[in-house]
Amino acid sequence: MDAQGRGRADDIDPADQWVLNPNTGEYELRLAPSAAQSSVPGPRGSGGRGPTGRAGAARTGRTAPARRSGAAAPDDDAPSPRRRTGAPAEAAAGRRGRRPAPKKAKGKKVLMWTGGTLAFVLIGASGAAYLYYEHLNDNITSVSDDGAGTGGFSKDRAINILLIGTDKRTGKGNEGYGDKDSAGHADTTLVLHVSKDRSNATVLSIPRDLITDIPDCPTTQEDGSEKVIPGKQRTRFNNSLGQEERTPSCTMRTITELTGLKMDHFMVADFNAVKTLTSAVGGVDVCLAKDIKDPDSKLDLPKGEHTIEGEEALAFVRTRHSVGFGGDLSRIELQQQFLGSMLRKLKSNDTLTSPQKMIKLAEAGTKALTVDSQISTIKKLADLGAELGKFDTKNLTFATVPVVDNPAEKIKATVVLKEPQAQQLFAMVRDDVSLTEVKQEKKKEKAAEAARLKGTKAPASEVRVRILNGGAVAGSAQETLSWLQVQEGVTKSENAGNAEQPLAKTTLEYGPDEADQARRLAEIMGLSGAALKPGKSVTNSQGVPAMTLTLGKDFEGAGVPLTTPEKVPEDVQKATADKVECAK
């Protein structure tokens, strides 16, 4: 039965309502010749919408008023009214105005789906932004990032997104999961880093039992006031969400404190997200190297390949006692394999060419996930989704932050960072270094940078350099000057004050005949080839040519090397999203 024969909007399958119009290349509501306009499923009821769930949310059965053919589209950046506190709002829907479309319209639509595919698993529904805009917009729940983020992603720089899976027990059918008396935790935490050139991406898994410091968290209250939730030293990472009324913005701050990465956005999912998204995509393919029967997660699958969805998919990502060493680190590997498989399914032609699946994903994604207020509209999610969909899955690397058992515990229950491997991994992500081999152009660039460090080096006493503070801690230029002159013999150096513009990275600019001096200073300071910028020399206070060293925000102190590792430390567990692996 199609949408015209159903009595309630609640019973309508959104995938049944839309058909491709060959004249326009766009999808339109399926209508009988003499029937009134069919309604899109109404917006959801106002329920208890906290930062990690929507307990009590209800949907309306009202019929929405029809939009006239050719009516103006809604403002892309303006969200539709939310049914959070007042009377139910109605979503308008109707046939789009018809106009001649260029022949490539259909191809453009496929590109939209392709660009938004990754967003469905991460932020939901970006590729279907043109479908019943107001209805999907009303599905979105958002909370403030409380100033913990960058203020929003940008197309001209790398993107960092915090993905949180909470164990808060919300939603019908989840009574048997999690702690019913808990406000929830950051049970599964992933940091998605997408490179500036969009050629590659890295997903860092943060162990929930990692001992770390949680900073003070300014948090916006319901009445608009701000409350500072006190930080906590040497505690489990998963306490950064839910506990003591901490919101996702607090987890953002904790990640920044831990890794040095500033987050652009966050997304929070509960148990329902796994169930609904896997069902919407038609199931996720997984492989088991052995039989698994886990009474705790309720996973019961024999050895071999399986397609799982709904409750079974949730059981799969929750199991840990029956895989690996039976702990959280083994579960992290399982979840990475699951996400890699889901991404492959989303990128497949079976999904991209199916309007029914894409619409169901739009519905599931916008209902299941909570996002920060910077991306609280379909338009903004679509823009972000287009950026996230540009890299190939073979260049998406999953890596687990290297940890060891907490040496302070007799009974091992928590972990601490494994040094220096953890800091090396964090530095690679901060400096946008791919964990996989990428484009040939990037290889050439790396080779050119490495070549700058090869060749003769001038004696330290012949190095002439002006030092500027370009974003480092106050006093860094003078500290570096003293260190270079007293300890390293670079006597022809001077403090030139502050740079005109702050820099993220420390740089050394030099003239054509100063390359040997640049190589010596790079060796002394631990500068990478990327920090060396062939250019021109500048006259110093003595009236002679000199190089310019600008200390950027990455500068950590005189004598602290600034070289970014080129290879992943051997002890770091990693896998790429294009590989099929069987859980052991």
Side-chain angles (χ1 to χ4, degrees), residues 2-82:
D2 66 12
Q4 304 308 314
R6 297 181 180 175
R8 286 173 51 85
D10 295 36
D11 300 324
I12 296 174
D13 183 346
D16 290 338
Q17 290 185 277
W18 298 85
V19 293
L20 180 66
N21 185 330
N23 296 320
T24 64
E26 297 190 1
Y27 282 84
E28 301 177 356
L29 286 171
R30 185 204 311 264
L31 298 173
S34 59
Q37 293 278 18
S38 174
S39 65
V40 171
R44 299 160 63 212
S46 59
R49 295 190 181 185
T52 60
R54 299 181 181 82
R59 298 175 65 189
T60 180
R62 291 190 180 188
T63 301
R67 176 176 291 139
R68 295 181 179 178
S69 176
D75 181 8
D76 281 344
D77 291 318
S80 59
R82 316 269 174 150

Side-chain angles (χ1 to χ4, degrees), residues 167 184-187 207-210 236-243:
D167 59 356
H185 303 78
D187 194 51
R208 66 178 187 181
D209 296 322
L210 173 66
R236 274 183 168 89
F237 176 86
N238 67 352
N239 289 324
S240 65
L241 177 71
Q243 306 304 297

Side-chain angles (χ1 to χ4, degrees), residues 457-466 484-485 488-494 508 514-522 524-525 540 545-547 549:
K457 301 179 179 69
S461 60
E462 296 301 319
V463 172
R464 297 185 302 275
V465 60
R466 300 167 64 251
L484 287 174
Q485 290 184 340
E488 300 298 331
V490 185
T491 54
K492 296 178 180 179
S493 51
E494 63 181 40
L508 176 62
E514 296 172 326
D516 58 343
Q517 295 182 45
R519 287 191 284 269
R520 176 62 69 191
L521 189 60
I524 292 172
M525 295 196 62
N540 66 10
M547 302 182 295
L549 174 67

Side-chain angles (χ1 to χ4, degrees), residues 302-336:
K303 174 183 176 180
E305 297 180 354
H306 305 273
T307 300
I308 59 176
E309 62 178 274
E311 292 285 350
E312 198 168 45
L314 178 60
F316 184 87
V317 298
R318 293 186 66 245
T319 191
R320 60 190 177 99
H321 298 302
S322 301
V323 293
F325 296 103
D328 186 52
L329 296 181
S330 297
R331 186 181 68 158
I332 285 175
E333 290 187 44
L334 194 75
Q335 291 173 343
Q336 291 174 348

